[in-house]
Amino acid sequence: MSASNIDYKKNEAKEKKVIFFGNSITQSWSDYTDFFSENGYLNKGISGQTTDQMLVRFKKDVVDEKADCVVILAGINDLAENNGPITLDQIFENIKSMVKIANDNNIKVILSSILPAYEFLWNPGIYPSDDIIFLNKNLKDFSKSGNATYVDYHTSMRDKRNGLKDDYTYWREDFNGYDGVHPNKKGYMKMERIISKTLKRTL
C-alpha cells in the first residue's frame, strides 16, 4: 500500500484553509480518493505517529500554516503501543493540548472519533475496542465545552465486535486477515460523507 503523504503537492485552499492532522489513516486518505485535491484541503498525516509526536509538530504543521480549521484524528497508534505503553489519560491530555493550541490561535477544531478497531495485526494481544469507546466518549464530552466540534466516524463504521467493518478495510495477504485499522476506498468515502457535513456547519 502506498502512503506517500509527506511529498504530496500542496493543494490551494479555496476559501478557508482546512488541515487534516493525523497519522497513517489521514496520510493514506489521499492515496484512495481526490477528496483533498478537489476541496483544497491539506493532508498533514504522518504514518505511525502517536499523540506525543503529533503534539510536538502541531505548531509547525497547523499554526504556522495559518489554518482556519484543523480536523484532528489521533490516538489509535497510542493504543497500539507504537512507542510503548501510555495511559488513556495521557492520550486524552495530549489531544486536549492540541485543541488548546488551536483555540489560542483562533483555529477552529473538529475533533474526530477514533475509528473502531478490534485488534492490531502488527501488535497482537492488544484489544483496544473498549478503550476506543472510552476515549471517544471523553472526546465527545470535552467537545461540548465549545472548544471543538466532535465528529463521529465510529458509530456507523463499527461491526458487532466494535471493530472496523470488513467492508471498510482491506485484506492483508501478509497476515492472512483484514487489516481492521486502516480504511479502504469505501471506508474513506464513508468518512468523507460524515466529515463534509460537519465542515459545512463549522466553516
Side-chain angles (χ1 to χ4, degrees):
M1 181 187 69
S2 71
S4 54
N5 170 68
I6 296 163
D7 298 320
Y8 286 147
K9 68 180 188 299
K10 286 199 172 184
N11 297 323
E12 289 300 317
K14 293 187 177 175
E15 293 175 12
K16 300 285 188 180
K17 189 179 230 185
V18 179
I19 289 176
F20 281 67
F21 187 73
N23 48 47
S24 58
I25 294 171
T26 297
Q27 177 178 343
S28 298
W29 199 328
S30 296
D31 293 333
Y32 283 91
T33 80
D34 296 324
F35 180 63
F36 290 87
S37 57
E38 286 178 354
N39 291 284
Y41 302 149
L42 303 185
N43 187 323
K44 293 285 185 176
I46 296 182
S47 180
Q49 286 207 330
T50 60
T51 55
D52 287 326
Q53 295 168 304
M54 291 174 64
L55 182 55
V56 168
R57 68 180 175 95
F58 192 86
K59 182 179 182 298
K60 177 178 179 290
D61 281 355
V62 178
V63 178
D64 293 353
E65 288 276 357
K66 297 185 169 25
D68 292 292
C69 177
V70 61
V71 181
I72 299 171
L73 175 53
I76 195 66
N77 289 325
D78 300 72
L79 295 172
E81 300 185 2
N82 279 18
N83 290 329
I86 182 171
T87 67
L88 298 182
D89 190 54
Q90 286 173 309
I91 299 169
F92 186 40
E93 289 301 318
N94 284 341
I95 295 173
K96 286 198 293 185
S97 294
M98 293 182 221
V99 174
K100 185 177 189 311
I101 295 168
N103 290 163
D104 288 347
N105 288 275
N106 298 311
I107 299 168
K108 292 180 178 178
V109 180
I110 297 175
L111 205 46
S112 306
S113 68
I114 301 170
L115 267 60
Y118 177 73
E119 61 187 338
F120 303 106
L121 294 181
W122 69 90
N123 199 355
I126 299 174
Y127 298 94
S129 57
D130 288 343
D131 288 341
I132 290 171
I133 290 169
F134 177 82
L135 279 170
N136 284 343
K137 183 181 185 305
N138 282 354
L139 295 174
K140 184 177 183 179
D141 290 346
F142 171 66
S143 298
K144 290 175 183 173
S145 65
N147 294 331
T149 300
Y150 181 74
V151 62
D152 181 11
Y153 299 123
H154 187 278
T155 300
S156 59
M157 296 181 74
R158 67 186 180 195
D159 62 17
K160 291 177 182 176
R161 302 189 303 177
N162 288 314
L164 187 58
K165 287 180 181 176
D166 290 347
D167 274 0
Y168 293 143
T169 188
Y170 52 87
W171 186 264
R172 290 187 57 166
E173 295 292 346
D174 51 344
F175 287 102
N176 194 34
Y178 283 101
D179 180 90
V181 172
H182 301 91
N184 58 11
K185 184 172 183 176
K186 185 175 179 180
Y188 282 119
M189 291 178 75
K190 175 73 172 177
M191 292 169 69
E192 287 167 17
R193 290 192 292 274
I194 295 169
I195 190 62
S196 292
K197 292 176 185 175
T198 305
L199 282 165
K200 278 182 184 175
R201 292 196 306 268
T202 305
L203 295 178

